[in-house]
């Protein structure tokens, strides 16, 4: 048994894990039973909502710690809140118990996810450095780096210093206006540091169940692409031209010869074109960020998660100790 402040710290980590699991389950169930609910919002609003979904379980865990631990550490331990929510033996941590087991599981999952994402980031950086092999002449067309390749690709890569690329095989088949569309789209990704945002969001999503994480990453990538499409309108104020360019580049990309190329972070034509074109041509771009809805859901998720932690804790304590 570990006593004192070290025991307190380990109990706090145990609360974080149980609360995190409860909130992830609640949010995942909500997303599962409300499919396509984000489609009615604007692209930038969807990006913000998805960030809230990814961060919310960790914020809920901190609130759970505050609600469960603080009453035990202060004079407020006799209040009505402490009678509803409390954690037994807050300064005692039994390693050979469900507390120790939950903490071990938390550490294994947390560090496994972080190491896997770190390995992917290092691989992406290595692939970015290998691009220099393909760039015989660092030409710049519409501020894009031209890669000497017969493939038809345009993409933005790099986490901290993103750069936008276009292959000579694609640029040679585009008109001046189409090249402008592609360039503005990719440069919008670079200005917004979208590769880094995709990486950060994928790290948060990795803690959700696999099928939910895949949907979250897909929705986030699509929202980034739609936001980049809309940014092109400031230069090329014609949705039809942008839509036709999307279709043309997509068609050309399917005719790749097969030369090995590094995996891009943000690709011009890898996401559902139908949804992107519909978003461009639709006068109604969707609803703005739903502040009240997000706040209400956050409060509900916090209450459900914290109560679940307390019930789960007391149920196991009664089962194993009393």
């Amino acid at each position: 048994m570990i006593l004192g402040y070290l025991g307190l710290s380990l109990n706090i980590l145990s609360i974080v894990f149980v609360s995190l699991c409860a909130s992830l389950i609640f949010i995942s169930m909500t997303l599962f039973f409300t499919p396509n609910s984000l489609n009615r919002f604007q692209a930038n609003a969807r990006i913000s909502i998805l960030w809230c979904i990814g961060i919310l379980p960790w914020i809920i865990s901190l609130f759970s710690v505050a609600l469960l631990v603080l009453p035990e550490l202060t004079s407020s331990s006799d209040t009505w809140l402490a009678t509803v929510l409390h954690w037994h033996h807050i300064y005692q941590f039994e390693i050979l118990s469900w507390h120790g087991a939950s903490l071990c599981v938390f550490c294994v999952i947390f560090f496994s996810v972080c190491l896997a994402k770190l390995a992917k980031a290092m691989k992406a950086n290595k692939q970015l450095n290998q691009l220099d092999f393909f760039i015989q002449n660092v030409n710049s067309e519409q501020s894009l780096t031209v890669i000497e390749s017969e493939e038809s690709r345009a993409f933005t890569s790099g986490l901290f210093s993103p750069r936008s690329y276009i292959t000579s095989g694609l640029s040679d088949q585009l008109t001046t206006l189409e090249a402008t569309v592609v360039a503005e789209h990719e440069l919008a990704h670079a200005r917004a540091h979208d590769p880094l945002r995709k990486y950060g969001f994928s790290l948060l999503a990795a803690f959700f169940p696999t099928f939910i994480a895949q949907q979250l990453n897909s929705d986030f990538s699509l929202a980034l692409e739609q936001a980049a499409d809309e940014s092109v309108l400031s230069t090329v104020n014609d949705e039809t031209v942008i839509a036709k360019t999307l279709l043309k580049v997509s068609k050309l990309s399917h005719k790749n010869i097969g030369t090995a190329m590094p995996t891009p972070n943000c690709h011009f034509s890898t996401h559902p074109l139908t949804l992107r074109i519909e978003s461009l041509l639709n006068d109604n771009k969707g609803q703005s960020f739903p502040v009240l809805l997000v706040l209400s859901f956050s409060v509900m998720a916090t209450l459900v998660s914290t109560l679940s932690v307390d019930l789960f804790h007391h149920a196991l304590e009664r089962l194993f100790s009393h």
Side-chain angles (χ1 to χ4, degrees), residues 264-280:
N265 291 90
C266 294
H267 197 288
F268 186 82
S269 59
T270 55
H271 297 83
L273 291 182
T274 301
L275 295 177
R276 291 172 63 181
I277 292 173
E278 286 179 355
S279 177
L280 276 171

Side-chain angles (χ1 to χ4, degrees), residues 39-292:
N39 291 343
R40 67 177 185 270
F41 297 103
Q42 300 172 1
N44 286 318
R46 266 181 289 132
I47 292 172
S48 299
I49 294 172
L50 288 166
W51 273 120
C52 291
I53 292 173
I55 297 173
L56 185 58
W58 300 94
I59 296 178
I60 290 175
S61 298
L62 296 179
F63 271 102
S64 296
V65 169
L67 292 174
L68 290 166
V69 175
L70 287 183
E72 299 291 334
L73 303 180
T74 63
S75 58
S76 60
S77 58
D78 296 328
T79 63
W80 66 270
L81 180 62
T83 61
V84 178
L85 300 172
H86 62 278
W87 191 268
H88 288 303
H89 317 301
I90 194 66
Y91 284 101
Q92 302 175 13
F93 187 84
E94 189 68 49
I95 297 179
L96 300 178
S97 68
W98 74 269
H99 296 278
S102 65
L103 191 58
C104 289
V105 172
F106 172 74
C107 291
V108 170
I109 294 176
F110 181 80
F111 287 108
S112 296
V113 170
C114 290
L115 289 175
K117 290 297 178 182
L118 178 61
K120 288 185 178 181
M122 294 175 65
K123 181 180 179 180
N125 184 66
K126 181 179 179 180
Q127 290 175 329
L128 181 61
N129 293 333
Q130 288 175 344
L131 281 175
D132 293 336
F133 177 78
F134 295 92
I135 304 173
Q136 298 178 359
N137 297 307
V138 185
N139 300 322
S140 178
E141 180 174 319
Q142 301 280 353
S143 299
L144 298 184
T145 301
V146 178
I147 301 174
E148 297 297 331
S149 172
E150 295 181 352
E151 295 193 12
S152 298
R153 298 190 183 187
F155 58 92
T156 299
S157 187
L159 294 179
F160 300 105
S161 299
R163 290 178 289 177
S164 298
Y165 303 88
I166 187 171
T167 61
S168 57
L170 176 60
S171 62
D172 292 343
Q173 300 181 73
L174 298 179
T175 65
T176 301
L177 187 57
E178 290 168 345
T180 300
V181 171
V182 174
E184 290 300 321
H185 176 98
E186 294 304 330
L187 292 175
H189 280 312
R191 288 191 296 267
H193 287 79
D194 282 347
L196 179 61
R197 292 204 288 174
K198 286 183 68 175
Y199 175 78
F201 183 80
S202 68
L203 179 59
L204 295 173
F207 292 94
F208 285 84
T210 303
F211 67 99
I212 296 294
Q214 291 174 348
Q215 185 60 47
L216 288 174
N217 285 319
S218 177
D219 289 342
F220 191 77
S221 297
L222 176 60
L224 290 181
E225 295 300 327
Q226 289 175 329
D229 291 338
E230 292 175 7
S231 69
V232 179
L233 291 171
S234 61
T235 303
V236 181
N237 192 21
D238 190 335
E239 293 88 346
T240 305
V241 172
I242 301 174
K244 288 182 177 179
T245 303
L246 281 171
L247 289 172
K248 181 176 180 178
V249 174
S250 177
K251 183 178 179 181
L252 292 173
S253 297
H254 283 84
K255 297 180 180 180
N256 287 336
I257 296 176
T259 306
M261 290 286 290
T263 304
N265 291 90
C266 294
H267 197 288
F268 186 82
S269 59
T270 55
H271 297 83
L273 291 182
T274 301
L275 295 177
R276 291 172 63 181
I277 292 173
E278 286 179 355
S279 177
L280 276 171
L281 301 181
N282 195 344
D283 293 333
N284 182 11
K285 301 300 182 183
Q287 302 175 19
S288 58
F289 184 81
V291 178
L292 292 179

